[in-house]
Amino acid sequence: MPDDILLSVQRPLALPSAFFPTTTPASYSRADFGPDFHWGAACAAYQVEGAWQQQGKGPSIWDEFTRRPKAIARGEHARVSTDFFTRYEQDLDLAQSLGLTDFRFSAAWARVLPEGVGAVNRRGLDFYDRLVDACLERDLRPWLTVYHWDLPLALQQRGGWTNRDVVGWLANYAQLLARRLGDRVQHWMVLNEPMVFVGAGHALGIHAPGRRSLPAFLAAAHHATLAQAEGGRALRDTLPGSARIGTTFSCSYVTPARPGHGPSEAATRRVDAVLNRFFTEPVLGMGYPMAELPALGWLLRRYQKPGDVERMKFDFDFWGIQNYTREVVRAAPWLPLLGAALVPAAKRGVPTTEMGWEVYPESVYEMLKQYAAYPGAPELYITESGAALPDYPAGGRVPDAGRVAYYQAAIGQVLRARREGIRVNGYFPWSFTDNFEWAEGYRPRFGLVYVDYDTQERIVKDSGRWYSEFLAGARVEVARTL
Ligand code: FCB
């Protein structure tokens, strides 16, 4: 094994309690999760499909954003990516051979509706039809995300998420997918991580459409909240009664930099409200978390219309919880609106992944506990969880011991939650194969399966092999050291 493989997993050895939390059950097997637990893996259209101009697909905001100089690390883009559009059968064969029971993917809105609304691109819709059939032929239950960040460019030209019409556009697109695929797809998710595409795309400018504007952020946030619920209603009106309709939330467990210190604790509550509660509480009819964020609440009023609190509600069958890390928060009274700042993991001397995210597997458990505590919370699934580590093929294998340890701990934390009675019924590693990691390009590798981007060769990583053995029933003795 080349020395540098261990680069990112050497530092954790200095802090074994964080990397190997003792709260993780020491040993477990698949049987401990019961026979109905869903074991999948996840991906998203823009990150894997490639074929950006093939068979009538229209341009998306990511096709445009990746063309901007300096927007993406090393000037990379996803015009080819892992070429899932032509290689999906091969990838699904691999997923089946590893023993997965479920497969999560998204549809590219501009592949189905090149202009976002109006004329349907039959060949685009046919692709998802074949993809769904290909999953079912391999006994993989398809989980379809309606919107995973790739808005049609034509809609962006009409204001995109800042235009309230997006609520209707999304509902119309969701309905189109439901009409065509609803006889075979049972699990649907309306949005992928609204806080990320709204925040990174409209406030920070680091994701498409690259806006850095508070009004754009507020408008997009409110319209995403409305679209989330309206999309749910559109699906429910169209799909058979047996369909399971969900949506997904990004989240990070937040802890104060100075526990017990009033301002630090209060700052942590404000960050929690933004990162973890903002899109969830309106769904339950609680409105936005205004008590913690009065200024934001006041500013948001401009975009709200009478009846919106009711419109933002929807009784989802499940929530997809997506967690990678925790955040440590300190008070920063000079910063407007939030008065809080995140203490970067690098400054805290904790183990991190290639994304700079702290390795903190207990975050998965903490977030499940937090979401399950809402009165009226539906069934939960971990629809994303994973780690980017530097992977190198060596002798036909990819030895990624750090990722194996990460999954052992994270899945163990899901079991911990289940043992406490939390209704969490599935786990989807992010990601099935390596893929295009948005602004970070191809360098961060999240896959259970390695992709050689020059040859499109796939190599199952040791983590993929481990997952497969676990799914075949092997008992896991959870790693305590590397
Ligand atoms: C999530 C995204 C997903 C992937 C992972 C690493 O925020 O939903 O597409 O990029 O992060």
Side-chain angles (χ1 to χ4, degrees), residues 202-473:
H202 299 81
L204 305 175
I206 55 174
H207 279 186
R211 303 281 313 270
R212 289 184 66 164
S213 141
L214 182 61
F217 168 77
L218 294 165
H222 185 53
H223 301 147
T225 311
L226 290 169
Q228 180 174 261
E230 194 61 31
R233 279 185 286 275
L235 290 176
R236 189 151 291 151
D237 286 350
T238 318
L239 291 167
S242 59
R244 309 282 297 155
I245 299 164
T247 197
T248 75
F249 303 119
S250 52
C251 60
S252 298
Y253 178 47
V254 286
T255 54
R258 292 176 61 191
H261 175 251
S264 186
E265 298 272 0
T268 305
R269 283 193 293 276
R270 291 194 292 277
V271 171
D272 183 45
V274 171
L275 293 187
N276 302 325
R277 299 169 50 199
F278 194 88
F279 287 98
T280 313
E281 295 187 359
V283 163
L284 294 169
M286 299 164 69
Y288 294 111
M290 303 278 199
E292 283 74 17
L293 307 165
L296 208 60
W298 186 80
L299 289 169
L300 263 173
R301 264 184 230 150
R302 186 168 154 209
Y303 306 94
Q304 286 173 289
K305 293 201 172 157
D308 277 5
V309 172
E310 205 45 43
R311 272 184 211 117
M312 301 191 295
K313 270 171 66 173
F314 185 69
D315 57 331
F316 283 106
D317 299 309
F318 70 91
W319 292 342
I321 304 303
Q322 314 204 148
N323 177 261
Y324 290 89
T325 191
R326 77 156 167 177
E327 297 293 352
V328 173
V329 181
R330 67 188 169 92
W334 59 91
L335 291 178
L337 290 177
L338 261 187
L342 304 181
V343 186
K347 286 209 173 142
R348 290 185 273 124
V350 291
T352 56
T353 66
E354 280 233 300
M355 299 295 281
W357 297 342
E358 179 183 5
V359 176
Y360 195 82
E362 281 166 305
S363 184
V364 170
Y365 163 81
E366 296 291 351
M367 295 320 300
L368 286 170
K369 204 163 85 170
Q370 184 168 333
Y371 284 103
Y374 282 111
E379 191 183 11
L380 304 177
Y381 290 89
I382 298 291
T383 40
E384 285 186 24
S385 160
L389 299 170
D391 298 317
Y392 301 95
R397 276 182 44 207
V398 179
D400 58 341
R403 189 175 289 103
V404 173
Y406 187 94
Y407 279 128
Q408 289 187 347
I411 293 172
Q413 292 292 326
V414 174
L415 182 58
R416 180 183 170 205
R418 271 177 73 86
R419 284 185 173 156
E420 290 180 17
I422 291 172
R423 270 203 307 158
V424 50
N425 294 328
Y427 185 84
F428 291 74
W430 181 273
S431 179
F432 185 59
T433 61
D434 292 336
N435 59 56
F436 178 77
E437 179 46 39
W438 309 111
E440 308 302 326
Y442 293 99
R443 185 172 289 164
R445 291 179 175 271
F446 276 94
L448 294 167
V449 175
Y450 181 91
V451 176
D452 179 329
Y453 293 108
D454 294 329
T455 62
Q456 293 294 354
E457 188 194 353
R458 271 69 164 153
I459 306 172
V460 179
K461 298 180 193 175
D462 282 3
S463 56
R465 292 173 183 228
W466 172 79
Y467 192 45
S468 176
E469 285 162 18
F470 166 70
L471 295 181

